[in-house]
């Protein structure tokens, strides 16, 4: 795996925090980190390695703690760290499917990395041959979002695994929406497939978008470098505590409800006159092709409902992406769309 890692990162001497240098012992006076000695709940630095939290996440996922990275700016932090670990600015490139999550492109641009976007097939399936053909000797990473945002579909696991077997580089599978999908997860492949990184987040199914916590899972040989590149204290002690508390409580389990609402809403929208197509979804949103997306988008806003207009994304002309809300929010949206149709 080492050959995919940037040379300067391989040679990097990571910042050693006061808490890294201290190993064990029975300390009652902490004068090593220039903290305030006066307790107020947050006067001490947090654990830079999030050891207890990673143990919790390990119990939750079955992945060993040494294979877990946790970002305090959500999985968006993991995306940025992946660019910084593998890609040399101005030289390397990455491949991504299109349309997909916009952050890959922004993070590529920030890091001065070329991103080669490969259009999905017309039916939103994975263009495996074209993805592989887009690679050259400077291609380090391939970004696959599954279930994909904004198309909503998950790609078959075997297709992604076959891509990973053929691709000479790192395959990142962003599974932000996997909890809503019946097509499963690649988390169980961590440790078996060497060049695989799986991203997960607490922002969607776990209902904690406000906390900002995301995860990357990979072999310890890769994960070690994430630990070196991240900011030493990238997650506050309050968030670590809060996450552990909430993980212990379990997901509030709105997942079955959201999935059944998604299916109900898909059926209802298919009947609306202005709706051309509701794409199959493995996520907590629906991509809907409509007669006049800009007009419907404006009409919904005028009535207090905001959705995402994805019409300007490739292969997505005249589409809106609608997040699944509560049953009453969904009812309201369905009736507004029917009403628009009869205007
Ligand atoms: C929402 C989303 C995320 C989550 O990002 P966070 O920074 O963890 O909130 C990641 N990937 C995709 C594709 C998403 O849609």
């Amino acid at each position: 795996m080492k050959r995919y890692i940037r040379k300067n990162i391989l040679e990097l001497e990571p910042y050693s925090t006061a808490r890294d240098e201290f190993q064990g012992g029975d300390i009652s006076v902490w004068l090593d980190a220039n903290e305030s000695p006066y307790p107020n709940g947050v006067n001490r630095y947090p654990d830079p390695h999030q050891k207890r939290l990673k143990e919790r996440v390990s119990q939750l996922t079955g992945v060993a703690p040494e294979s877990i990275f946790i970002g305090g700016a959500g999985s968006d932090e993991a995306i940025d760290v992946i660019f910084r670990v593998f890609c040399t600015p101005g030289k390397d490139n990455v491949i991504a499917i299109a349309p997909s999550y916009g952050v890959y492109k922004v993070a590529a641009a920030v890091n001065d990395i070329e991103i080669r976007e490969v259009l999905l097939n017309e039916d939103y399936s994975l263009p495996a041959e074209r993805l592989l053909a887009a690679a050259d000797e400077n291609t380090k990473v391939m970004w696959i979002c599954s279930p994909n945002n904004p198309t909503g579909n998950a790609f078959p696991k075997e297709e992604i695994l076959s891509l990973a077997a053929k691709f000479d580089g790192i395959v990142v599978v962003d599974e932000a929406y996997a909890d809503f999908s019946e097509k499963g997860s690649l988390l169980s492949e961590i440790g078996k497939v060497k060049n695989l990184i799986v991203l997960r987040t607490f922002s969607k199914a776990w209902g904690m978008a406000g906390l900002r916590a995301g995860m990357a899972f990979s072999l310890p040989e890769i994960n070690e470098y994430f630990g070196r590149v991240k900011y030493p204290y990238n997650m506050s002690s309050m968030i670590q505590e809060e996450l552990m508390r909430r993980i212990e409580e379990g997901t509030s389990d709105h997942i079955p409800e959201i999935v059944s609402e998604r299916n109900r809403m898909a059926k209802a929208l298919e009947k609306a006159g202005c709706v051309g197509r509701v794409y199959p979804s493995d996520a907590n949103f629906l991509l809907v092709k409509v007669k006049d997306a800009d007009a419907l988008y404006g009409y919904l806003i005028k009535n207090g409902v905001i959705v995402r207009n994805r019409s300007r994304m490739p292969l997505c002309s005249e589409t809106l992406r609608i997040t699944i809300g509560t049953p009453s929010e969904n009812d309201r949206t369905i009736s507004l769309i029917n009403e628009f149709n009869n205007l």
Side-chain angles (χ1 to χ4, degrees):
M1 283 309 96
K2 283 218 161 89
R3 70 200 167 92
Y4 300 130
I5 291 170
R6 269 169 79 184
K7 190 164 164 293
N8 63 311
I9 302 298
L10 277 175
E11 292 163 358
L12 181 74
E13 188 72 55
Y15 175 69
S16 180
T17 68
R19 299 294 130 86
D20 284 319
E21 285 174 14
F22 161 70
Q23 301 288 341
D26 190 12
I27 302 295
S28 56
V29 179
W30 296 87
L31 304 179
D32 60 340
N34 299 345
E35 299 152 333
S36 165
Y38 302 106
N40 60 8
V42 288
N43 61 310
R44 299 293 175 191
Y45 276 104
D47 172 10
H49 307 296
Q50 304 133 354
K51 205 158 168 288
R52 285 167 56 227
L53 175 57
K54 283 182 185 173
E55 269 154 27
R56 278 260 170 282
V57 171
S58 175
Q59 288 164 3
L60 189 71
T61 56
V63 179
E66 311 78 64
S67 282
I68 302 173
F69 166 85
I70 302 179
S75 38
D76 291 350
E77 179 177 343
I79 294 170
D80 184 57
V81 168
I82 289 168
F83 274 104
R84 288 192 285 144
V85 165
F86 297 108
C87 302
T88 302
K91 176 172 170 247
D92 289 332
N93 66 72
V94 302
I95 293 170
I97 54 172
S100 195
Y101 187 43
V103 172
Y104 314 138
K105 201 170 176 172
V106 174
V110 167
N111 288 286
D112 193 16
I113 304 299
E114 179 198 350
I115 183 164
R116 300 180 173 183
E117 293 186 303
V118 175
L119 277 187
L120 294 176
N121 297 319
E122 285 288 332
D123 61 357
Y124 295 159
S125 61
L126 206 58
E129 293 310 316
R130 285 187 286 120
L131 283 165
L132 291 168
D136 65 16
E137 69 279 7
N138 291 323
T139 306
K140 291 291 162 63
V141 179
M142 187 182 285
W143 295 91
I144 306 287
C145 184
S146 179
N148 188 34
N149 178 4
T151 57
N153 58 312
F155 305 111
K157 283 201 285 187
E158 317 75 60
E159 285 183 22
I160 300 175
L161 289 173
S162 140
L163 254 184
K166 292 176 191 157
F167 177 58
D168 184 19
I170 301 291
V171 173
V172 183
V173 184
D174 186 344
E175 294 191 344
Y177 300 99
D179 293 302
F180 302 106
S181 168
E182 281 170 5
K183 302 214 177 104
S185 162
L186 289 175
L187 260 191
S188 56
E189 303 295 323
I190 297 296
K192 294 181 211 154
V193 180
K194 287 201 160 74
N195 58 339
L196 177 70
I197 299 177
V198 173
L199 303 184
R200 287 293 192 98
T201 178
F202 285 106
S203 295
K204 307 284 159 62
W206 281 86
M208 304 184 220
L211 280 190
R212 307 310 300 132
M215 297 158 279
F217 301 88
S218 61
L219 278 189
E221 293 93 294
I222 293 176
N223 191 55
E224 186 203 328
Y225 289 94
F226 295 163
R228 293 192 196 197
V229 166
K230 76 179 182 76
Y231 291 110
Y233 300 110
N234 65 327
M235 179 171 272
S236 78
S237 48
M238 288 174 80
I239 301 298
Q240 291 189 43
E241 294 295 333
E242 185 66 12
L243 269 171
M244 285 189 279
R245 194 180 67 71
R246 287 175 183 249
I247 291 171
E248 197 146 9
E249 273 177 6
T251 38
S252 49
D253 238 342
H254 290 301
I255 297 170
E257 187 182 347
I258 288 175
V259 168
S260 87
E261 276 298 292
R262 174 188 80 203
N263 299 338
R264 175 178 82 88
M265 202 165 174
K267 284 205 187 81
L269 289 178
E270 270 163 11
K271 293 194 201 109
C274 63
V275 170
R277 174 141 197 226
V278 181
Y279 290 92
S281 173
D282 299 298
N284 67 337
F285 58 83
L286 291 170
L287 187 72
V288 184
K289 202 179 218 24
V290 298
K291 263 199 202 105
D292 185 344
D294 289 351
L296 176 55
Y297 178 73
Y299 183 74
L300 290 172
I301 287 183
K302 210 173 74 188
N303 288 282
V305 174
I306 180 82
V307 299
R308 203 89 198 266
N309 190 347
R310 299 282 73 180
S311 297
R312 274 139 205 105
M313 297 196 91
L315 303 178
C316 292
S317 63
E318 304 298 345
T319 58
L320 300 179
R321 190 193 71 191
I322 305 175
T323 306
I324 306 305
T326 63
S328 68
E329 290 171 339
N330 302 333
D331 283 341
R332 184 164 150 68
T333 306
I334 293 164
S335 60
L336 282 170
I337 291 175
N338 280 316
E339 210 174 278
F340 173 78
N341 188 44
N342 298 327
L343 281 184

